[in-house]
Amino acid sequence: MGDLNAGLIAVTGANGFVGRACVAEARRRGHPVLALCRSAPLSEWEADAGITVARIDLSTEADRLPALLAPVEALIHAAAFMGDNPQVLVRDTLAATGAVLAACGAADIRLVMISSLAVYDTDALSPGDRVTEASPQIALAPDALSRPEAYLRSARDPYAGSKRLQEAMMAQDGEAGGNWILRPGAIWGPGRSWHALQGFWASKLFVTIGSDGELPLAHVDHVARVAVDCARTAPQGTSVLNVFDDDRPTRARFLKAHRRCYGWPRLNVTVPYGAWLALVRLLKPLASRLPGLFREPILRARMMPLRYPNTAMRSAFPGEDTDTFEGLMARTREAET
């Protein structure tokens, strides 16, 4: 399949945070869109004749998918469960992905899979390391694909395990060649200005863990732009791309910008990463009864100061973000009001 000009692009999870941004970006570029969603479509789509809506549960209605995708040239797979329930992840993320892989493979439809930064094995990294597409991924048990729920229950966290399994399913089905896998960082934008990589709340006090190291943020509009770029373009060489903003702030810089635009968190204390890591190691005997950031694997995955270049993404799709981080934060706030 060659490059698309104005072909029909399908988007799964089309009414979700990433999905609706992909629909909007595809329409901005003149592509008709097939919006696949399980729940009610967005009211704003009603006035756009270029958007066709199909309500479908990918995990239980896979037999409907081939007919729906018959006119489609590319599909952006953004549907996924965002929680940590292994049973729901198997049904709503993995079963849905299996249906999409089968339908796209049979019809030679270019697939753009929205995966996640969470697939990387931060236990194999050290503070200051660069996270690239070649960085090690979290391990897969030999029977992970045949016993996915058991694997998810043993993974560092079930959500990360589900994204790792999605990619393994693509590789097993031979669907990685000719298609794309996108690994965005913490996706943010209007309605989701905060992120899970900053620290935690202790009543009205926010505890930031570490002030250095880049935050792997990916504005939802930037993720949508790259996803549509991929849908339009046959991959040349590497088909896996990390998706990060060009301007990646430190936690200290993020805190200052968010407080300026939103007024919170008003009370913050910053604990150096090394000091918090030492505390976590001291409390290791109690780890099973403590929240996630008191467990070393989760702490390393979310808080270790690392660098997140987007070199491969910019090599595949040259350009630059629409604004600085502070400018994007201000625009995000304006869009909400």
Side-chain angles (χ1 to χ4, degrees):
M1 181 186 298
D3 292 357
L4 272 67
N5 291 316
L8 177 62
I9 295 176
V11 180
T12 68
N15 56 355
F17 187 58
V18 175
R20 65 178 181 261
C22 291
V23 171
E25 178 65 16
R27 291 299 298 132
R28 186 183 71 80
R29 300 201 206 180
H31 289 274
V33 172
L34 173 63
L36 301 169
C37 48
R38 185 168 60 180
S39 55
L42 302 183
S43 59
E44 63 208 54
W45 294 343
E46 295 177 3
D48 190 341
I51 300 176
T52 301
V53 176
R55 293 188 65 173
I56 179 173
D57 187 329
L58 296 171
S59 62
T60 61
E61 300 177 285
D63 57 320
R64 293 180 52 206
L65 200 52
L68 288 171
L69 298 185
V72 169
E73 296 190 39
L75 182 146
I76 299 170
H77 184 36
F81 177 60
M82 298 301 295
D84 280 340
N85 184 310
Q87 189 174 17
V88 179
L89 285 164
V90 168
R91 183 190 69 210
D92 290 351
T93 296
L94 301 180
T97 297
V100 167
L101 286 170
C104 288
D108 192 28
I109 295 169
R110 181 177 300 135
L111 175 62
V112 182
M113 175 82 74
I114 307 295
S115 183
S116 172
L117 168 72
V119 301
Y120 291 114
D121 181 9
T122 46
D123 285 344
L125 301 174
S126 300
D129 282 352
R130 292 160 54 94
V131 178
T132 73
E133 290 78 2
S135 295
Q137 297 180 58
I138 54 178
L140 277 181
D143 61 351
L145 287 171
S146 60
R147 301 180 64 240
E149 187 171 336
Y151 169 73
L152 295 181
R153 293 187 184 281
S154 66
R156 181 186 74 211
D157 70 77
Y159 172 78
S162 72
K163 305 310 284 187
R164 182 70 176 89
L165 281 178
Q166 276 188 300
E167 295 193 19
M169 292 168 68
M170 283 189 74
Q172 183 186 57
D173 286 3
E175 290 297 326
N179 297 301
W180 297 89
I181 294 173
L182 301 184
R183 295 172 181 162
I187 303 175
W188 67 293
R192 196 182 292 184
S193 65
W194 198 250
H195 61 92
L197 307 180
Q198 188 76 17
F200 64 94
W201 287 99
S203 186
K204 296 182 179 181
L205 173 69
F206 192 84
V207 179
T208 294
I209 300 177
S211 58
D212 299 325
E214 296 178 347
L215 280 171
L217 300 185
H219 193 279
V220 66
D221 289 345
H222 297 160
V223 175
R225 189 173 303 122
V226 174
V228 174
D229 282 337
C230 290
R232 291 164 52 95
T233 309
Q236 301 295 322
T238 301
S239 58
V240 178
L241 297 176
N242 291 342
V243 182
F244 307 128
D245 294 339
D246 291 335
D247 187 10
R248 299 175 293 279
T250 62
R251 288 181 175 84
R253 188 175 157 205
F254 177 90
L255 187 71
K256 182 178 180 180
H258 197 277
R259 185 180 283 156
R260 182 189 306 118
C261 291
Y262 287 86
W264 61 271
R266 293 184 178 181
L267 300 176
N268 176 81
V269 61
T270 298
V271 180
Y273 172 79
W276 192 265
L277 178 61
L279 173 64
V280 166
R281 288 175 173 172
L282 184 66
L283 296 174
K284 185 175 180 180
L286 305 174
S288 63
R289 289 178 281 170
L290 295 174
L293 291 179
F294 287 86
R295 303 174 196 169
E296 185 169 346
I298 294 178
L299 175 68
R300 292 173 65 90
R302 295 184 185 175
M303 301 296 166
M304 185 161 55
L306 298 166
R307 291 177 291 164
Y308 299 93
N310 60 7
T311 308
M313 183 191 85
R314 284 302 176 213
S315 177
F317 303 109
E320 59 184 19
D321 291 347
T322 55
D323 210 334
T324 63
F325 164 69
E326 283 80 6
L328 286 170
M329 180 65 78
R331 291 188 187 194
T332 295
R333 180 58 173 156
E334 289 171 6
E336 294 173 351
T337 56

